[in-house]
């Protein structure tokens, strides 16, 4: 039986490579930086150009499909996930890294049908690492199969998260307190690479053992979630319940033991939903 979405994935790989080249070329020039919701919520001309490249290419081939793109949503487009085939796009995941030329910068694309992720692509374009996964067919980096570390012992784990400026002092307190709680388990350490999609792939390939985050978006998670799952990882809500792509929060890990251990330790941070305006 033919895979109805393989052609979509093949087309997506081509346009993702083009997008990565556009990002690498932009790094050789002056970068024009603008602010969105706060002084640390940055966007560049390249974010917008890359998203336009990706959406225009896919829309030309699949005009009936839906799109949720970070920059489109910032400009007022809907972020409601429907049953229609939907492309969830982050043109530059790690914009702050891009602005500073810090090397973890990725193009992240997830494809859903009936609200289920069918495939994911994350291209860490400065590293030139193309992570891919098709549901039921495994996860790969540059064509080589990848697997999570399978670590079961949280005290032997390396954990990823992200931190940035928070206007609300209470939010900032919770953010820092959660890091202290995890470090006090103890764990081997916490790292903050600066790209949610890359973080998911680092757990997927066994370079880290867990990643937790509250306040990200569906476009940060969709591509990497497919890759992490196909690599044998565990993905769940920060409460320990089922993962919800539109919830703006997640825990991923090499094993259920570690994921649940983190869920028991962290305090919830209010972060809203992507499908509620």
């Amino acid at each position: 039986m033919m895979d109805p979405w393989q052609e979509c994935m093949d087309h997506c790989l081509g346009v993702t490579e083009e997008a990565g080249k556009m990002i690498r070329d932009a790094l050789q020039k002056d970068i024009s930086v603008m602010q969105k919701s706060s002084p640390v919520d940055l966007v560049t001309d390249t974010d917008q150009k890359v998203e336009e490249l990706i959406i225009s290419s896919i829309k030309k081939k699949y005009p009936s499909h839906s799109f949720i793109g970070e920059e489109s949503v910032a400009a007022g487009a809907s972020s409601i996930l429907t049953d229609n085939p939907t492309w969830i796009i982050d043109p530059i995941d790690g914009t702050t890294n891009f602005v500073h030329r810090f090397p973890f910068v990725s193009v992240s694309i997830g494809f859903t049908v009936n609200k289920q992720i069918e495939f994911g692509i994350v291209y860490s374009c400065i590293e030139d690492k193309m992570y891919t996964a098709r549901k039921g067919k495994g996860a790969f980096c540059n064509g080589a199969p990848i697997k999570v570390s399978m670590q079961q012992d949280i005290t032997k784990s390396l954990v990823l998260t992200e931190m940035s400026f928070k206007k609300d002092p209470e939010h900032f307190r919770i953010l820092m307190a959660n890091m202290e709680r995890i470090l006090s388990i103890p764990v081997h350490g916490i790292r903050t690479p600066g790209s949610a999609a890359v973080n998911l792939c680092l757990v997927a390939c066994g370079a880290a053992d867990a990643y937790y985050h509250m306040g990200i978006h569906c476009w940060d998670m969709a591509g990497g979630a497919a890759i992490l799952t196909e690599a044998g990882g565990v993905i769940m809500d920060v409460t320990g319940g089922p993962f919800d792509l539109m919830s703006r929060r997640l825990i991923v890990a090499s094993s259920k033991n570690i994921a649940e251990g983190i869920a028991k330790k962290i305090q919830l941070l209010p972060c809203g939903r992507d499908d509620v305006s």
Side-chain angles (χ1 to χ4, degrees):
M1 183 178 175
M2 280 187 63
D3 180 344
W5 309 122
Q6 187 61 49
E7 183 188 60
C8 294
M9 186 172 179
D10 292 342
H11 180 77
C12 186
L13 278 166
V15 75
T16 302
E17 287 177 352
E18 284 184 62
K21 183 179 185 304
M22 181 181 283
I23 292 167
R24 287 194 301 271
D25 288 347
L27 284 167
Q28 306 307 312
K29 306 168 187 173
D30 289 339
I31 299 172
S32 173
V33 185
M34 296 159 280
Q35 293 179 13
K36 292 196 283 189
S37 64
S38 79
V40 295
D41 186 9
L42 307 179
V43 64
T44 70
D45 290 340
T46 308
D47 291 79
Q48 296 162 340
K49 288 175 181 175
V50 170
E51 184 165 312
E52 184 180 344
L53 166 76
I54 294 168
I55 291 179
S56 61
S57 174
I58 296 170
K59 191 174 280 187
K60 185 176 180 182
K61 192 167 180 67
Y62 306 106
S64 66
H65 289 190
S66 301
F67 297 85
I68 299 174
E70 178 177 11
E71 304 314 325
S72 304
V73 171
S78 170
S79 58
I80 302 298
L81 185 62
T82 69
D83 289 340
N84 199 47
T86 302
W87 301 80
I88 304 176
I89 301 161
D90 192 340
I92 300 182
D93 186 48
T95 299
T96 301
N97 286 356
F98 172 73
V99 166
H100 291 273
R101 293 175 170 82
F102 192 73
F104 297 113
V105 175
S106 65
V107 181
S108 176
I109 303 176
F111 179 74
T112 67
V113 181
N114 296 321
K115 300 188 181 76
Q116 301 300 308
I117 303 172
E118 290 291 332
F119 66 77
I121 295 172
V122 173
Y123 184 29
S124 184
C125 51
I126 298 176
E127 298 182 285
D128 194 24
K129 290 183 177 179
M130 181 74 78
Y131 296 94
T132 59
R134 173 77 182 94
K135 188 164 74 174
K137 295 188 176 180
F140 301 85
C141 178
N142 292 344
I146 56 174
K147 284 288 183 187
V148 296
S149 68
M150 307 304 291
Q151 180 61 254
Q152 298 285 330
D153 185 346
I154 196 168
T155 68
K156 296 178 181 177
S157 66
L158 183 66
V159 179
L160 308 179
T161 192
E162 293 299 334
M163 55 183 175
S164 61
F165 169 75
K166 301 290 181 188
K167 290 182 189 176
D168 184 335
E170 180 63 9
H171 284 201
F172 188 73
R173 186 197 66 76
I174 293 170
L175 182 77
M176 300 308 291
N178 281 340
M179 292 183 70
E180 183 179 1
R181 290 177 184 198
I182 298 300
L183 286 168
S184 299
I185 290 173
V187 297
H188 278 179
I190 289 179
R191 301 289 182 268
T192 59
S195 165
V198 170
N199 291 347
L200 284 155
C201 293
L202 288 170
V203 178
C205 72
D209 305 295
Y211 167 47
Y212 73 93
H213 202 155
M214 290 173 277
I216 52 175
H217 294 277
C218 58
W219 47 80
D220 298 308
M221 301 188 284
I227 294 158
L228 180 281
T229 302
E230 286 298 313
V234 173
I235 185 166
M236 63 176 63
D237 184 67
V238 293
T239 62
F243 171 63
D244 177 348
L245 180 59
M246 307 308 284
S247 70
R248 300 194 57 200
R249 59 195 202 183
L250 86 171
I251 297 172
V252 302
S254 58
S255 65
K256 191 176 179 184
N257 283 350
I258 291 178
E260 289 180 341
I262 291 172
K264 288 172 184 173
K265 285 289 183 180
I266 58 176
Q267 183 179 348
L268 297 185
L269 186 67
C271 55
R273 293 183 58 85
D274 277 326
D275 50 8
V276 176
S277 54

